[in-house]
């Protein structure tokens, strides 16, 4: 029982549990909070996988940004209607079966796949390497990503503009 | 922990997210399910990247996270717009394409 | 141009064809009426001269002469030819056809003088076509030309019976004639084709050689000859295909004289005479022919006794005499039947044309409305009487010796049953013909009747003898009838069989008896016609209903054909259409069902994607 294994299982339980809570809670606001917890758990997993930069990005953008935006959206739409949005679920058994079927398929595929052995050694600090890769080999997607973010921003502003 | 463990975990989260997408009535709830699915994908990418020994997967994940953020913003703007015009956030009521 | 009989026959054949083509193509000429008639009559006269000249040269022919052109070529000899076959039988028949056609065309100039020019032109167009077709049939050297001319003759019969097509009865009668003879023609065609399969050729000469040498396979030959006989039975009005001939009297009387007395109806008899060497190989079919012929003769004679329409009496008389000819053929002595055909052609045409003169003058066909016409129409009475005496079989007139020969042939051929039927029919023939004579020409004059009879174009005025253009042919035919009668009596024909000594007295006695009974009943009124009618009550009732033959045909049509048609209609509506309708309904409802999966809700489509993903995962895992 190394620290790795304990950490992994702990994070796994956290992640799966909060994910289930996200989809099963009746209160939408609570779902958002459970999502924030799940995203944080994912950040922990990234740390385990020695992707520290990504863990930081995850926490900043996902757990910080996305969750905030969703919270604001809920608040705004709730305001518009003036009542708590009911959001019970529909056809739960069928959904469960389908999701479970897909899970089963994936598990079977993974179990039968010839995967690599133990993890190879990696350099200590991956961040400079990441930055280097992004700005040399993947500079085009990087630039396009900037354009995408601009377009998304403009689009979102346009959609959500006040009615006139 | 071996690669399979991370993959199993990611698959589980993906399935849970899919369940959420298929069953939730509220559009924002559906978007939360989508978030979970994308998250699971990211875990997959990083795990593979780690066990291959290079950073390609991580770069991919970086971009994926950025795009997801953009997608959430636009998606929520759409939800607000639909809410304004149709006075509902229930996905069941959005059936204009009904054949 | 040589004067060989076969070339002359060819000329006689092609002249009416020329008239037909001219009248068909030159519409203004045809529509002008009388000029078209003159063209047709002129060609008919020339054709008559040519045919007489050909017949004169027939004595020089030692064997049949042919003039042939290839029609359907084949690598080893032509499949079918057209042309002329000139032998004793065909040339004398050619003369009969040309003579009667010519006389009828001349007579029609007077009979149809009230017709519109366009209709008159149409009439002569058809007459020329008929002359051409009938001569082509007579001169045919093979079955193909025979069959084609056979059908053409049937077509002309339809056109001429339905000449007054605006009259519904005439149109119906024309169609009935066409259909009834067509039923027989189907048999003829089948017989011809089957025969070709057996012997490989259509030519009469070649098949005759094979038949007389015994090279024709006997297996299935009875079927072939029976099928050929079916065609003859249709055209020559044998039972049960006789039903069209009485109705065909809706046509103009000259047409009845030409087609339904002398020429077209004799085509069937002529065919059997032509192919007698083939029928000689199948005695069982000959037996059938003999019995059916005799039965037809007696049946038609009975039917003639109850008719009041003068043309219908003559029509049934024709059916009866055709039965006589067929019986002679069935007895195996086709020459006797052929002789009767020739004499009958002459005096039956005479009788019809005479009846036409009466109808033209009086304006009705109904003999009960006539009477005492002898005083007003003496010429007509004389010629009609000549014809009646011939038909009744009185010595010195044309019909006597040929009828006696038929009776002798029947007796010599061993057909005693048919012989008895023919003798009874002879008695009835004399009876009903003189009934007509007494009721029409003698007795008290009846009041002039309106034009109620079929095909009566005459006006309602005091009856008088026919104009010269109509009486000329009548006198010619009457003279011919007497000349032939005297000639036969004087020259003592040779017969291929022995004539029993008691036959002539029997025939004379039977005819005299019939005439006597008719005289007593209708002239002297000693025997009451009503008592006679009552004595034969049931037979009379059946005869008035034409022995229900027409009713049987109608019933067969209604029951068999209509029900079959209804059944097929049902199959078409419910099974053929039904299958298609069911398929289309299922497609539409399937579409409706499938459409329910398009809910418009995104989450339902996500289900689809998820299921697809599962399928793909498992497929890739296990099948690849």
């Amino acid at each position: 029982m190394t620290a790795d294994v304990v950490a992994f299982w702990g994070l796994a339980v956290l992640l799966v549990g909060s994910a289930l809570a996200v989809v099963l809670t009746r209160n939408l606001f609570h779902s958002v909070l459970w999502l924030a917890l799940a995203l944080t758990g994912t950040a922990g997993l990234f740390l385990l996988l020695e992707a520290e930069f990504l863990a930081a990005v995850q926490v900043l953008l996902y757990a910080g940004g996305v969750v905030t935006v969703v919270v604001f959206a809920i608040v705004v739409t709730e305001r518009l209607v003036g009542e708590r949005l009911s959001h019970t679920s529909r056809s739960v058994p069928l959904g469960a079966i389908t999701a479970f079927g897909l899970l089963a398929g994936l598990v079977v595929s993974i179990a039968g796949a010839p995967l690599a052995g133990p993890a190879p050694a990696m350099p200590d600090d991956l961040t400079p390497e990441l930055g280097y890769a992004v700005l040399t080999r993947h500079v085009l997607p990087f630039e396009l990503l900037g354009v995408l973010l601009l377009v998304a921003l403009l689009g979102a502003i346009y959609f959500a503009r006040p009615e006139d | 922990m071996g690669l399979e463990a991370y993959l199993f975990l990611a698959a589980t989260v993906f399935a849970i997210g899919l369940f959420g997408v298929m069953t939730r009535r509220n559009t924002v709830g559906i978007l939360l399910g989508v978030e979970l699915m994308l998250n699971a994908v990211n875990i997959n990418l990083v795990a593979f990247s780690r066990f291959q020994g290079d950073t390609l997967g991580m770069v991919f994940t970086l971009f994926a996270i950025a795009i997801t953020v953009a997608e959430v913003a636009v998606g929520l703007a759409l939800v607000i717009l639909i809410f304004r015009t149709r006075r509902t956030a229930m996905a069941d009521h959005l059936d204009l394409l009904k054949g | 141009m040589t004067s060989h009989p076969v070339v002359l026959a060819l000329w006689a054949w092609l002249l009416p064809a020329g008239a037909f083509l001219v009248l068909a193509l030159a519409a203004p000429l045809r529509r002008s009426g009388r000029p078209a008639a003159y063209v047709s009559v002129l060609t008919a006269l020339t054709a008559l001269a040519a045919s007489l000249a050909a017949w004169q040269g027939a004595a020089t022919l030692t064997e049949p002469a042919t003039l042939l052109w290839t029609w359907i070529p084949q690598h080893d000899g032509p499949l079918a030819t057209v042309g002329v076959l000139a032998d004793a039988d065909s040339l004398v028949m050619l003369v009969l056809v040309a003579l009667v056609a010519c006389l009828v065309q001349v007579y029609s100039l007077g009979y149809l003088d009230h017709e519109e020019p366009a209709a008159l032109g149409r009439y002569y167009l058809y007459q020329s076509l008929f002359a051409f077709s009938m001569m082509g049939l007579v001169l045919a050297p093979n079955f193909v030309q025979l069959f084609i001319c056979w059908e053409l003759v049937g077509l002309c019969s339809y056109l001429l019976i339905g000449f007054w097509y605006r009259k519904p009865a005439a149109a119906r009668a024309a169609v009935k004639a066409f259909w009834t003879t067509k039923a027989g023609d189907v048999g003829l065609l089948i017989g011809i084709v089957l025969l070709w399969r057996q012997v490989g050729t259509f030519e009469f000469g070649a098949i005759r050689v094979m038949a007389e040498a015994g090279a024709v396979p006997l297996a299935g030959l009875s079927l072939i000859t029976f099928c050929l006989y079916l065609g003859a039975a249709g055209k020559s009005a044998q039972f049960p295909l006789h039903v069209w001939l009485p109705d065909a009297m809706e046509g103009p009387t000259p047409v009845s004289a030409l087609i339904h007395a002398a020429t077209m109806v004799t085509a069937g008899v002529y065919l059997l005479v032509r192919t007698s060497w083939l029928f000689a190989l199948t005695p069982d079919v000959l037996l059938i022919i003999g019995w059916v012929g005799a039965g037809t003769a007696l049946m038609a004679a009975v039917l003639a006794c109850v008719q009041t329409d003068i043309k219908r009496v003559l029509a049934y008389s024709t059916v009866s005499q055709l039965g006589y000819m067929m019986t002679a053929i069935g007895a195996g002595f086709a020459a006797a039947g052929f002789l009767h055909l020739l004499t009958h052609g002459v005096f039956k045409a005479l009788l019809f044309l005479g009846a036409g003169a009466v109808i033209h003058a009086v304006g009705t066909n109904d003999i009960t409305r006539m009477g005492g016409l002898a005083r007003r129409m003496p010429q007509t009475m004389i010629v009609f009487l000549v014809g009646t005496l011939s038909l009744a079989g009185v010595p010195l007139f044309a019909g006597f010796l040929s009828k006696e020969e038929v009776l002798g042939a029947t007796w010599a051929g061993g057909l005693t049953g048919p012989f008895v039927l023919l003798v009874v029919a002879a008695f009835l023939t004399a009876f009903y013909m003189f009934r007509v004579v007494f009721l029409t020409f003698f007795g008290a004059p009846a009041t002039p009747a309106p034009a109620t009879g079929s095909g009566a174009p005459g006006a309602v005025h005091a009856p008088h003898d026919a104009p010269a253009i109509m009486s000329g042919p009548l006198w010619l035919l009457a003279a011919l009838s007497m000349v032939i009668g005297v000639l036969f009596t004087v020259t003592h024909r040779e017969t291929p069989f022995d004539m029993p000594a008691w036959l002539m007295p029997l025939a004379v006695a039977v005819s005299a008896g019939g005439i006597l009974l008719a005289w007593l009943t209708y002239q002297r009124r000693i025997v009451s016609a009503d008592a006679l009618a009552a004595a034969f009550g049931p037979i009379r009732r059946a005869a008035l209903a034409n022995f229900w033959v027409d009713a049987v045909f109608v019933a067969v049509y209604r029951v068999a054909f209509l029900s079959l048609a209804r059944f097929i209609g049902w199959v078409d509506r419910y099974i053929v259409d039904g299958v298609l309708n069911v398929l289309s309904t299922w497609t539409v409802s399937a579409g409706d069902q499938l459409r329910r999966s398009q809910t418009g809700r995104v989450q339902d489509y996500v289900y689809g994607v998820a299921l697809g993903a599962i399928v793909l995962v498992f497929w890739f895992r296990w099948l690849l």
Side-chain angles (χ1 to χ4, degrees):
Chain A
M1 277 290 202
T2 61
D4 255 354
V5 175
V6 170
F8 173 79
W9 278 107
L11 283 169
V13 166
L14 175 69
L15 183 53
V16 171
S18 47
L20 281 171
V22 166
V23 297
L24 293 176
T25 318
R26 272 199 270 197
N27 189 335
L28 185 59
F29 204 82
H30 292 178
S31 295
V32 177
L33 294 176
W34 283 114
L35 181 68
L37 186 59
L39 295 174
T40 316
T42 315
L45 275 173
F46 286 166
L47 280 176
L48 263 183
L49 288 168
E50 299 178 31
E52 299 87 0
F53 181 66
L54 279 177
V57 165
Q58 174 86 356
V59 170
L60 269 174
L61 290 185
Y62 255 122
V66 167
V67 168
T68 314
V69 171
V70 174
V71 166
F72 271 117
I74 293 172
V75 165
V76 166
T77 52
E78 271 198 34
R79 276 271 163 80
L80 284 173
V81 171
E83 66 185 35
R84 185 155 291 229
L85 296 168
S86 66
H87 61 293
T88 49
S89 306
R90 65 199 278 273
S91 60
V92 168
L94 187 59
I97 292 169
T98 314
F100 191 74
L102 185 63
L103 178 61
L106 288 172
V107 160
V108 164
S109 302
I110 296 166
L115 293 171
M122 296 258 293
D124 264 339
D125 205 355
L126 285 175
T127 315
E129 288 208 30
L130 274 176
Y132 195 72
V134 165
L135 285 173
T136 53
R137 205 165 151 228
H138 306 288
V139 67
L140 184 58
F142 180 66
E143 300 296 337
L144 286 176
L145 187 63
V147 174
L148 175 73
L149 288 171
L150 177 63
V151 168
L153 181 65
L154 290 172
I157 292 174
Y158 179 75
F159 278 148
R161 71 189 184 287
E163 293 167 44
D164 42 355
Chain B
M1 291 304 298
L3 177 57
E4 300 85 10
Y6 289 97
L7 295 183
F8 284 136
L9 178 60
T12 312
V13 176
F14 185 85
I16 295 171
L18 180 65
F19 171 78
V21 167
M22 289 193 292
T23 54
R24 285 302 218 182
R25 281 224 167 89
N26 195 321
T27 15
V28 178
I30 299 172
L31 274 170
L32 296 180
V34 172
E35 286 304 309
L36 277 178
M37 287 160 78
L38 288 165
N39 213 35
V41 168
N42 288 340
I43 299 174
N44 238 356
L45 282 169
V46 172
F48 268 114
S49 172
R50 172 73 181 83
F51 280 84
Q52 296 260 359
D54 65 26
T55 58
L56 185 57
M58 296 182 190
V59 172
F60 202 150
T61 312
L62 205 58
F63 288 132
I65 293 174
I67 292 169
T68 309
V69 168
E71 167 253 324
V72 164
V74 173
L76 288 170
L78 277 173
V79 167
I80 293 174
L81 197 56
I82 289 171
F83 201 77
R84 280 200 201 139
T85 53
R86 303 203 131 248
R87 289 279 172 253
T88 180
M90 292 288 120
D92 279 354
H93 298 165
L94 307 173
D95 60 354
L96 278 178
L97 281 178
K98 184 171 172 169
Chain C
M1 162 178 117
T2 67
S3 57
H4 193 272
V6 83
V7 176
L8 288 168
L10 180 67
W11 275 108
W13 181 32
L14 291 180
L15 277 165
F20 169 71
L21 282 172
V22 164
L23 290 178
L25 295 172
L29 172 64
R30 187 177 74 238
R31 285 197 217 107
S32 58
R34 291 195 86 86
Y38 294 144
V39 167
S40 183
V41 170
L42 200 62
T43 50
L45 281 168
T46 322
L48 176 61
S51 57
L52 281 169
W55 186 46
Q56 282 295 96
T60 67
L61 289 175
T62 49
E63 54 167 28
T66 59
L67 203 57
L68 299 172
W69 289 272
T70 306
W71 186 37
I72 302 177
Q74 222 185 23
H75 48 88
D76 53 350
L79 182 62
T81 60
V82 290
V84 171
L85 169 66
D87 64 1
D89 286 343
S90 70
L91 288 177
V92 72
M93 186 81 184
L94 181 70
V95 168
L96 176 71
V97 172
L99 176 71
V100 180
C102 178
L103 291 177
V104 161
Q105 289 194 17
V106 169
Y107 180 94
S108 303
L109 282 173
Y111 191 79
L112 295 177
D113 56 357
H114 296 298
E115 287 291 326
E116 290 182 6
L120 196 65
R122 187 164 54 95
Y123 177 81
Y124 278 97
L125 177 75
Y126 296 155
Q127 283 276 358
S128 293
L129 179 63
F130 175 80
F132 163 71
S133 319
M134 192 67 207
M135 288 186 200
L137 195 156
V138 164
L139 296 171
N142 55 47
F143 277 107
V144 175
Q145 181 173 330
L146 179 99
F147 186 74
I148 293 171
C149 290
W150 188 279
E151 295 295 329
L152 270 177
V153 160
L155 172 69
C156 292
S157 168
Y158 164 82
L159 291 171
L160 284 165
I161 294 174
F163 175 66
W164 288 309
Y165 56 84
R166 291 206 178 83
K167 222 178 0 150
R172 270 201 299 273
V175 171
K176 182 174 180 179
F178 195 76
W179 274 117
T180 314
T181 52
K182 184 63 65 187
D185 294 348
V186 170
L188 179 61
L189 184 60
I190 293 174
I192 292 175
V193 172
L194 284 176
L195 183 62
W196 176 77
R197 272 186 70 220
Q198 293 283 67
V199 299
T201 175
F202 290 114
E203 305 292 319
F204 288 143
I207 305 178
R208 178 175 194 165
V209 165
M210 288 174 70
E212 281 167 359
V216 175
L218 285 177
L221 194 61
S222 292
L223 178 65
I224 293 174
T225 49
F226 184 72
C227 285
L228 294 176
Y229 167 66
L230 277 181
K235 273 280 191 297
S236 294
Q238 300 295 295
F239 178 85
L241 297 174
H242 67 279
V243 291
W244 64 272
L245 192 51
D247 287 353
M249 298 298 113
E250 297 287 337
T253 309
V255 168
S256 306
L258 175 64
I259 295 184
H260 306 126
T263 46
M264 185 184 104
V265 293
T266 55
V269 179
Y270 181 74
L271 169 67
L272 293 188
V273 170
R274 255 266 166 267
T275 53
S276 57
W277 28 264
L278 192 67
F279 279 84
L281 298 174
T282 57
D284 42 354
V285 174
L286 283 178
L287 192 66
I288 296 175
I289 295 176
W291 273 99
V292 172
T296 307
L298 182 60
M299 177 199 76
V302 170
L303 287 170
C305 291
V306 300
Q307 301 297 322
T308 54
D309 182 331
I310 189 172
K311 284 181 70 174
R312 284 202 166 223
V313 173
L314 294 175
Y316 279 112
S317 153
T318 307
V319 175
S320 185
Q321 297 305 307
L322 287 168
Y324 268 85
M325 300 173 210
M326 286 290 189
T327 313
I329 293 175
F333 297 104
F338 190 57
L339 179 67
H340 195 57
L341 186 160
L342 295 172
T343 58
H344 171 265
V346 172
F347 62 69
K348 192 44 75 63
L350 169 64
L351 282 170
F352 265 110
L353 293 181
V358 170
I359 296 169
H360 187 91
V362 177
T364 175
N365 286 20
D366 195 339
I367 56 175
T368 58
R369 293 182 184 275
M370 303 177 196
L373 289 177
R375 212 160 300 156
R376 316 256 190 88
M377 308 172 66
Q379 290 191 20
T380 313
M381 183 212 74
I382 294 174
V383 296
F384 199 85
L385 200 56
V386 169
T388 311
L389 287 167
S390 300
L391 180 53
V394 171
L396 286 186
F397 288 91
F400 170 64
L401 268 154
S402 61
K403 190 179 275 193
E404 198 202 344
E405 211 168 299
V406 165
L407 288 171
T410 312
W411 181 259
L415 299 174
T416 35
F419 178 81
V420 170
L421 297 178
L422 288 185
V423 168
V424 177
F427 175 78
L428 288 174
T429 304
F431 172 70
Y432 67 67
M433 276 318 294
F434 270 91
R435 167 176 173 258
V436 171
V437 167
F438 287 132
L439 283 178
T440 312
F441 291 104
F442 300 101
T447 54
T452 54
S454 65
V460 182
H461 52 70
H464 58 84
D465 263 325
I469 200 162
M470 284 167 67
S471 59
L474 285 173
W475 280 113
L476 186 63
L477 282 171
L480 200 57
S481 190
M482 294 206 60
V483 163
I484 291 175
V486 170
L487 209 62
F488 279 173
T489 317
V490 165
T491 58
H492 282 296
R493 271 177 57 87
E494 289 285 326
T495 55
F497 50 85
D498 288 325
M499 198 90 86
W502 47 264
L503 188 58
M504 185 178 317
L506 176 67
V508 173
V510 157
S511 304
I515 297 174
L516 183 68
L517 184 61
W519 182 65
L520 288 175
T521 312
Y522 294 103
Q523 178 68 358
R524 284 289 178 184
R525 311 276 168 175
I526 295 176
V527 178
S528 157
D530 294 326
L532 265 182
F536 292 101
I539 302 179
R540 188 164 189 279
R541 265 198 303 281
L544 281 172
N546 292 333
F547 291 120
W548 300 291
V549 181
D550 272 319
V552 167
F553 276 129
V554 168
V556 165
Y557 171 71
R558 287 232 175 89
V559 170
F561 290 164
L562 277 186
S563 56
L564 180 67
R566 269 192 216 108
F567 171 69
I568 292 178
W570 182 89
V571 167
D572 182 53
R573 253 195 312 281
Y574 289 105
I575 295 184
V576 175
D577 279 356
V579 165
L580 292 176
N581 288 343
V582 158
L583 280 178
S584 100
T585 312
W586 282 357
T587 309
V588 169
S589 77
D592 266 340
Q593 300 290 321
L594 282 174
R595 188 220 247 177
R596 293 206 279 166
S597 70
Q598 303 290 322
T599 58
R601 297 194 206 119
V602 177
Q603 287 172 299
D604 295 333
Y605 299 155
V606 171
Y607 266 114
V609 173
L611 286 170
I614 294 174
V615 167
L616 277 175
V617 164
F618 278 104
W619 186 15
F620 276 103
R621 183 75 193 88
W622 266 306
L623 299 182
L624 293 182

